Amino acid sequence: MAASSTFVSPQTLCFSPKSSSSRFLLPTNLRMVRTVTLATTSKPATGPRISRGIMKPRRVSPEMQTVVGVPEISRPQALKQIWAYIKEHNLQDPETRR
């Protein structure tokens, strides 16, 4: 967690009205200076990480189990196993490599 403090340098404040009838004063030369007042480190991770999204193991169909060899697998690992199966059994078209 980091908190910061912002202040305006009094030497750089120069207000000039846009017109004489204007109610608001606009800064023409305003410089913001930011200083860090508090900084801490994040807590170290404890325990194993929980898989999410495509990394989360999912159940596969019985037909897919014959190819990948396991009942649950993540999508990237399933794709890796499918390509290994295709190359092992020479199922790719030699001309187009599809």
Side-chain angles (χ1 to χ4, degrees):
M1 174 181 181
S4 64
S5 172
T6 305
F7 66 94
V8 178
S9 174
Q11 291 84 9
T12 60
L13 284 178
C14 177
F15 294 101
S16 64
K18 194 171 190 179
S19 68
S20 60
S21 64
S22 176
R23 293 183 351 192
F24 302 105
L25 297 176
L26 300 174
T28 58
N29 186 15
L30 182 67
R31 181 172 52 174
M32 301 290 283
V33 179
R34 199 172 273 207
T35 60
V36 176
T37 57
L38 173 69
T40 61
T41 60
S42 61
K43 295 179 183 178
T46 58
R49 293 185 64 174
I50 298 172
S51 298
R52 297 183 187 172
I54 65 172
M55 297 304 291
K56 186 175 182 178
R58 302 284 182 177
R59 288 189 302 232
V60 295
S61 66
E63 295 83 12
M64 184 64 77
Q65 284 183 23
T66 60
V67 174
V68 296
V70 292
E72 287 188 355
I73 193 168
S74 66
R75 289 181 187 177
Q77 289 299 316
L79 189 60
K80 187 176 179 180
Q81 294 291 328
I82 290 168
W83 273 109
Y85 182 86
I86 289 170
K87 290 179 181 181
E88 181 181 323
H89 292 90
N90 200 22
L91 300 174
Q92 208 172 14
D93 184 14
E95 287 183 20
T96 61
R97 303 297 290 173
R98 293 183 182 181

